[in-house]
Amino acid sequence: MPKHYRPAGKKKEGNAAKYITRTKAVNYLQVSLAIFRKLCILKGVFPRQPKKKVEGNHKTYYHTKDIAFLAHDPLIEKFREIKVHRRKVKKAVAKKNRDLADRLLNRPPTYKLDRLVLERYPTFVDALRDLDDCLTMVHLFAALPAVDGERVEVKRIHNCRRLSHEWQAFISRTHSLRKTFISVKGICYQAEVQGQKITWLTPHALQQLLTDDVDFNVMLSFLEFYETLLGFVNFKLYHSINVNYPPILDPRLEALAAELYALCRYMSAGSRRMIGNSQSDEVMEDKDEKTKADGVIEEEKDVKNKASSKADESELRLAQLQHQLPTNEPGALMNLVEESTADDADDDDTKECKGLFKNLKFYLSREVPRESLLFIIAAFGGTVSWEGEGAPFKEEDDDITHQIVDRPTQSHVFLSREYVQPQWVFDCVNARIILPTEGYLVGRVPPPHLSPFVDNDAEGYIPEYAETIKRLQAAVRNEVLPLPGIGDEDLDNSLVAAMMDRTESNEAAEKKRKLEMLEKQYHDELKMEIDGVAFSSLSNKEGDKSPDAKDDTQSDREEDASKQEEKDDDDIGTALMSRRQRGLYKAMKMGKEKKKEKIELLKKRKKTVDSSASSKKRH
């Protein structure tokens, strides 16, 4: 009998025991395929790729322990109750028992996902690390049209919009935004919260259409979990800055679709209220115990009275809202530029972001993306208003320094402010300096919008405008950047080289190379003369060649020799490698060659664009 003989019907071993196909998993759990997908999405169970697929490559495999994990979850019983409830409603409607159908519809079985959030994310940092897809999904559904009869419920869209605005209000209040970029897909943001970099994508403010190519049932399953996760994250973040959650919004601003502005006002009022409460607590510490006891009894009475009626509670919250929120006077936008008591606790990066637009006042025209600019300008310490009702100040305000417009002509132009395109705000944020507005004026083609998520030094190609921004940053910080190819030489020579044109610098480099070749030839002739070699025979052989041709042939020989030497060293090095190391080395060389080809293509395109632009100027 073989050593590893296993009789039929005995326990399986290896991959056959570790993994199970999707069909067998569905039959084991005794649920439908749609419920199985929803369970896997909510619990975070995903397919696996075993090394040896026992039942074929065309099937989807899951880990056996994951399926056992799903089988013992209480959520599966809730889904079965929901299925039975729908069957009862359908049966009551079929029997025309309308009263029973209404009673069943008013009492559907419900479930909560609070336990799953704690189960999947034991610590708060774990939740922050996995927040990228959550924010992107919530912002995507927040931009969908809220129309009855569509595949997405209106209350889900409103909830996503509320959660996204709460997140943006926190980022603006704490000045945690670091990078922005406008792409074809939407606007990319990157924030830093508790040491974790969080990146998400917001779609453009355009009319969204629901296509049939997307399975909305799967996306709604993801959204159901993401809504719960983002609600918990917002709750934790708001309490970390001493602000109550959920926030109470001004109904007038909420009706005018200014939820983000209303949220920021609430957060500013909440932080001031917490400071006032702490001061009052210090005063109360000096009072006697009798007064404290009376205060405790009164508080207990107030709690009992508030718990007696929901209507009284709503009226009390509305009264608190009117008392807490400041009036909408001009210049009171978000109160985000006020000096905070926790300024010393902020790091250098936060302080730099907080003071970028500190002394600037912006006004947004109606054609620019209002929500995005409200979010960005407030996150970097600026004061901003917009065209429409509910705005903190009007267009005629004399303190406005910049007006963001995207139309070639304006009905009225104020000479005391600058009119710039929206890209100027995004480029200033990425550069962390106030860029000159000459290239962003209305009617002009703005400079290229560079992505802050690309490392130009690692890619090997630095765009021309990136070098310009680097020089401006050095000028702001009072630094002197060394020019490429020049070491620690005299400052006058560096300034002269910086004033030279690119063609002139190339000509100077060519002349320098020829002088070095002539100097080397002179030293070789002196060496031959010392060795006693007859110079006449050498001159007769090379007399028919011009000096330029001699230099070219000599340089070609040196290049060929250096290439041959590199090739020999490369062959010797690869011969000593193992097969795996040789394969990795070849892959690295191929990657470097592809990067080099990409850089050459970018340079060629840049040269073509410059030539076409110069030809247009001539004509």
Side-chain angles (χ1 to χ4, degrees):
M1 182 180 294
K3 183 178 180 181
H4 296 288
Y5 172 75
R6 180 176 55 83
K10 294 293 182 180
K11 186 178 179 181
K12 295 181 180 180
E13 297 177 355
N15 288 336
K18 289 182 180 179
Y19 300 98
I20 184 174
T21 61
R22 189 180 66 179
T23 305
K24 290 184 177 180
V26 170
N27 295 333
Y28 175 74
L29 296 175
Q30 296 180 359
V31 294
S32 63
L33 183 59
I35 295 178
F36 176 74
R37 284 174 178 163
K38 191 170 186 177
L39 270 173
C40 292
I41 291 170
L42 296 179
K43 295 287 289 184
V45 176
F46 50 89
R48 305 299 181 102
Q49 294 291 334
K51 293 182 179 179
K52 183 179 180 182
K53 298 182 178 181
V54 182
E55 300 192 19
N57 296 328
H58 60 284
K59 292 188 177 182
T60 305
Y61 292 86
Y62 289 87
H63 207 285
T64 307
K65 291 184 178 180
D66 292 340
I67 303 302
F69 184 54
L70 293 178
H72 295 284
D73 194 90
L75 204 60
I76 194 169
E77 293 297 331
K78 286 291 182 181
F79 288 150
R80 287 169 181 163
E81 291 178 8
I82 293 172
K83 185 178 179 181
V84 172
H85 176 265
R86 290 175 180 172
R87 192 179 301 166
K88 288 181 180 179
V89 173
K90 186 177 180 181
K91 186 177 180 181
V93 172
K95 289 185 175 182
K96 297 182 180 180
N97 191 350
R98 197 64 205 173
D99 295 337
L100 179 59
D102 292 339
R103 286 199 303 270
L104 291 172
L105 289 174
N106 291 331
R107 293 183 299 172
T110 58
Y111 59 92
K112 291 184 178 180
L113 304 179
D114 304 351
R115 176 183 52 83
L116 296 183
V117 175
L118 181 60
E119 184 180 287
R120 293 179 60 176
Y121 306 106
T123 61
F124 185 62
V125 177
D126 296 333
L128 291 177
R129 288 173 185 160
D130 200 24
L131 210 59
D132 296 358
D133 294 336
C134 172
L135 288 172
T136 302
M137 179 76 75
V138 171
H139 281 83
L140 173 63
F141 275 86
L144 293 180
V147 181
D148 292 328
E150 292 288 346
R151 280 165 285 189
V152 185
E153 296 180 1
V154 176
K155 63 179 182 180
R156 299 287 295 274
I157 296 176
H158 287 327
N159 189 32
C160 291
R161 186 172 179 83
R162 178 183 63 82
L163 290 171
S164 62
H165 284 154
E166 289 173 358
W167 168 261
Q168 292 180 7
F170 171 80
I171 297 298
S172 297
R173 184 67 181 87
T174 56
H175 308 282
S176 302
L177 191 64
R178 295 294 178 263
K179 296 178 182 179
T180 61
F181 179 66
I182 306 173
S183 65
V184 179
K185 297 180 180 180
I187 303 176
C188 299
Y189 301 99
Q190 187 179 88
E192 188 174 353
V193 180
Q194 296 187 8
Q196 303 297 323
K197 292 184 179 179
I198 304 171
T199 308
W200 72 95
L201 180 69
T202 302
H204 293 293
L206 302 173
Q207 184 65 29
Q208 305 291 336
L209 299 176
L210 304 182
T211 61
D212 297 331
D213 300 335
V214 180
D215 190 354
F216 281 91
N217 293 326
V218 176
M219 295 189 69
L220 288 174
S221 299
F222 278 103
L223 182 65
E224 185 178 358
F225 179 76
Y226 286 155
E227 284 177 331
T228 308
L229 173 61
L230 189 55
F232 274 97
V233 171
N234 288 344
F235 175 85
K236 179 71 173 178
L237 293 176
Y238 272 57
H239 280 266
S240 66
I241 59 174
N242 296 327
V243 178
N244 292 330
Y245 187 89
I248 310 170
L249 300 185
D250 190 347
R252 187 176 64 87
L253 292 175
E254 194 173 4
L256 294 172
E259 296 93 344
L260 182 59
Y261 173 55
L263 275 166
C264 294
R265 288 180 59 192
Y266 169 79
M267 295 179 70
S268 299
S271 61
R272 291 198 302 271
R273 186 176 67 256
M274 288 295 177
I275 295 172
N277 290 340
S278 62
Q279 294 176 356
S280 63
D281 292 339
E282 293 177 357
V283 174
M284 288 293 294
E285 286 179 358
D286 299 334
K287 294 187 177 181
D288 56 348
E289 296 179 357
K290 183 178 179 181
T291 308
K292 291 181 180 179
D294 294 339
V296 170
I297 294 172
E298 291 178 358
E299 288 179 0
E300 291 177 355
K301 291 181 179 179
D302 293 339
V303 171
K304 291 179 181 178
N305 293 332
K306 283 188 285 184
S308 62
S309 175
K310 292 184 179 180
D312 296 340
E313 184 180 358
S314 62
E315 291 178 0
L316 179 62
R317 289 168 66 87
L318 184 59
Q320 290 176 352
L321 169 67
Q322 294 174 355
H323 177 70
Q324 292 166 5
L325 293 181
T327 57
N328 195 20
E329 71 273 4
L333 176 66
M334 303 180 192
N335 297 311
L336 292 178
V337 297
E338 295 180 356
E339 294 296 333
S340 176
T341 57
D343 285 343
D344 296 336
D346 296 337
D347 55 354
D348 296 336
D349 208 10
T350 303
K351 290 180 180 178
E352 184 181 5
C353 296
K354 187 176 181 179
L356 182 62
F357 296 142
K358 187 172 183 179
N359 298 322
L360 302 181
K361 202 170 185 179
F362 296 86
Y363 186 82
L364 308 179
S365 298
R366 65 175 184 270
E367 71 274 3
V368 300
R370 189 179 80 179
E371 286 191 2
S372 176
L373 291 173
L374 275 173
F375 172 46
I376 294 173
I377 293 173
F380 285 85
T383 307
V384 60
S385 180
W386 62 90
E387 183 176 353
E389 297 182 4
F393 51 87
K394 300 297 182 182
E395 186 179 2
E396 293 79 13
D397 194 343
D398 296 334
D399 295 333
I400 296 175
T401 58
H402 296 79
Q403 184 165 346
I404 313 300
V405 297
D406 204 8
R407 287 178 293 178
T409 57
Q410 304 296 323
S411 60
H412 184 75
V413 178
F414 295 89
L415 299 179
S416 60
R417 68 187 66 168
E418 298 188 36
Y419 291 82
V420 293
Q421 301 182 37
Q423 184 185 331
W424 179 79
V425 178
F426 291 86
D427 289 347
C428 288
V429 166
N430 295 330
R432 302 286 180 86
I433 59 172
I434 303 299
L435 295 174
T437 58
E438 286 78 9
Y440 300 90
L441 296 178
V442 181
R444 293 186 181 181
V445 178
H449 184 50
L450 304 177
S451 174
F453 301 97
V454 177
D455 189 0
N456 295 323
D457 296 331
E459 292 293 329
Y461 175 75
I462 302 177
E464 186 176 353
Y465 191 59
E467 296 177 353
T468 304
I469 292 177
K470 192 177 292 185
R471 288 195 294 269
L472 291 173
Q473 290 173 344
V476 170
R477 298 182 179 93
N478 296 325
E479 298 176 357
V480 178
L481 290 179
L483 294 174
I486 299 179
D488 297 331
E489 297 179 355
D490 193 14
L491 183 61
D492 296 333
N493 296 334
S494 300
L495 294 174
V496 170
M499 298 291 292
M500 293 171 60
D501 191 42
R502 186 169 294 181
T503 56
E504 295 179 0
S505 61
N506 292 335
E507 292 177 359
E510 185 68 23
K511 290 180 180 179
K512 185 178 180 181
R513 189 182 67 84
K514 289 184 178 180
L515 288 174
E516 289 177 355
M517 295 297 297
L518 291 174
E519 186 178 359
K520 187 176 182 180
Q521 183 181 0
Y522 174 72
H523 287 298
D524 292 341
E525 291 175 355
L526 286 177
K527 186 177 180 181
M528 292 169 62
E529 186 176 353
I530 293 172
D531 294 339
V533 179
F535 181 72
S536 59
S537 60
L538 185 63
S539 61
N540 291 332
K541 292 180 181 179
E542 298 181 356
D544 53 344
K545 297 181 180 179
S546 61
D548 295 338
K550 293 179 182 178
D551 295 340
D552 294 338
T553 55
Q554 191 171 358
S555 61
D556 293 339
R557 289 173 185 171
E558 291 180 355
E559 289 179 0
D560 294 340
S562 62
K563 287 181 179 180
Q564 186 65 31
E565 186 177 356
E566 290 178 0
K567 186 178 179 182
D568 294 340
D569 295 340
D570 192 9
D571 293 339
I572 294 171
T574 53
L576 299 175
M577 294 180 184
S578 63
R579 182 180 298 177
R580 184 178 181 181
Q581 292 175 345
R582 198 179 300 118
L584 291 174
Y585 180 68
K586 288 182 180 179
M588 290 171 59
K589 287 182 66 177
M590 290 176 62
K592 290 182 179 180
E593 290 176 359
K594 287 181 180 179
K595 185 183 290 186
K596 189 176 180 180
E597 291 176 358
K598 185 179 179 181
I599 293 171
E600 294 296 332
L601 180 61
L602 291 173
K603 290 181 179 179
K604 186 178 180 181
R605 288 178 180 175
K606 180 67 172 60
K607 188 176 181 181
T608 305
V609 170
D610 292 342
S611 61
S612 61
S614 60
S615 62
K616 286 181 181 179
K617 288 181 180 180
R618 291 173 185 174
H619 296 296

